[in-house]
């Protein structure tokens, strides 16, 4: 288990800002953290663990840029308090493979130019991984519907759908 020093100092904790100790299981590693109880999962991942794949887009759960998997299910991490996920399995885009090779969806996104600026790409990929695992990537309509929580401000939707269709049609198991 890794112990991570955080920016919250024990002397800064008050009754108005209680600190919590949390063990987060992220990408197969356990991290013991101490931080303000109001820290979101997104901020814990980015600011305390240095995992910057999940992006802070809208901070309101509307854009999907911060999508991660918790116990295999996708969720927007900007709306979740990190303390709620003590002991849960969290997967970020950085944890999609353990052999150093890109995940099949990452490769397909590159082949189909399914990103422009790339800001939404990690959230799009995490949603697509979950979409396939949920069995909801069978039709173009399903892909459109179940990816609708992930916004691409550059408008690369056609390429994103093409990448997802390719992985599904090739029978690649793009789940974890």
């Amino acid at each position: 288990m890794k112990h991570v020093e955080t920016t919250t100092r024990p002397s800064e904790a008050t009754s108005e800002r209680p600190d919590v100790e949390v063990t987060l299981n992220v990408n197969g590693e356990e991290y013991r953290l101490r931080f303000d109880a109001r820290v979101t999962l997104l901020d814990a991942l980015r600011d305390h663990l240095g995992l910057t794949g999940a992006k802070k887009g809208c901070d309101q759960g509307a854009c999907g840029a911060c999508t991660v998997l918790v116990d295999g299910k996708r969720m927007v991490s900007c709306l979740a308090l990190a303390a709620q996920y003590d002991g849960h399995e969290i997967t970020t885009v950085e944890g999609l493979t353990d052999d150093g090779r890109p995940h099949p969806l990452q490769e397909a996104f590159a082949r189909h130019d399914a990103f422009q600026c790339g800001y939404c790409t990690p959230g799009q990929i995490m949603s697509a991984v979950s979409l396939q695992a949920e069995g909801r990537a069978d039709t173009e309509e399903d892909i459109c519907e179940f990816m609708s929580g992930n916004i691409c401000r550059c408008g690369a939707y056609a390429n994103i759908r093409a990448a997802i269709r390719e992985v599904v049609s090739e029978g690649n198991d793009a789940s974890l």
Side-chain angles (χ1 to χ4, degrees):
M1 177 182 324
K2 295 182 180 180
H3 177 76
V4 179
E5 293 297 322
T6 63
T7 57
T8 303
R9 292 178 211 70
S11 62
E12 292 177 350
T14 67
S15 61
E16 295 160 10
R17 284 190 17 201
D19 279 359
V20 293
E21 283 196 26
V22 177
T23 300
L24 295 180
N25 299 312
V26 182
N27 301 330
E29 298 268 345
E30 259 190 16
Y31 298 91
R32 188 145 179 93
L33 301 160
R34 181 179 178 86
F35 46 67
D36 185 319
R38 299 168 293 183
V39 168
T40 65
L41 182 55
L42 175 62
D43 289 338
L45 294 170
R46 293 181 59 81
D47 300 339
H48 297 276
L49 297 180
L51 297 171
T52 57
K55 304 297 185 225
K56 188 175 281 224
C58 66
D59 227 9
Q60 297 176 4
C63 73
C66 66
T67 302
V68 298
L69 304 181
V70 176
D71 297 330
K73 298 190 183 320
R74 60 185 154 166
M75 64 169 294
V76 288
S77 59
C78 71
L79 295 182
L81 294 176
Q84 293 175 289
Y85 296 94
D86 186 21
H88 290 265
E89 279 298 317
I90 300 161
T91 306
T92 67
V93 72
E94 292 95 341
L96 285 183
T97 64
D98 59 358
D99 64 0
R101 292 197 56 229
H103 187 276
L105 274 162
Q106 290 171 314
E107 291 175 335
F109 267 62
R111 273 192 303 281
H112 287 275
D113 195 23
F115 49 88
Q116 296 291 312
C117 74
Y119 198 81
C120 73
T121 304
Q124 297 278 358
I125 289 172
M126 296 308 290
S127 280
V129 166
S130 183
L131 179 77
Q132 186 175 11
E134 294 164 4
R136 296 181 174 176
D138 295 329
T139 68
E140 183 78 11
E141 294 77 25
D142 285 346
I143 294 170
C144 288
E145 175 69 23
F146 293 109
M147 290 294 291
S148 65
N150 291 80
I151 296 172
C152 174
R153 288 173 175 84
C154 301
Y157 295 113
N159 299 2
I160 292 167
R161 289 191 305 269
I164 295 168
R165 280 193 315 272
E166 175 190 299
V167 172
V168 170
S169 70
E170 289 179 353
N172 285 331
D173 182 10
S175 60
L176 295 176

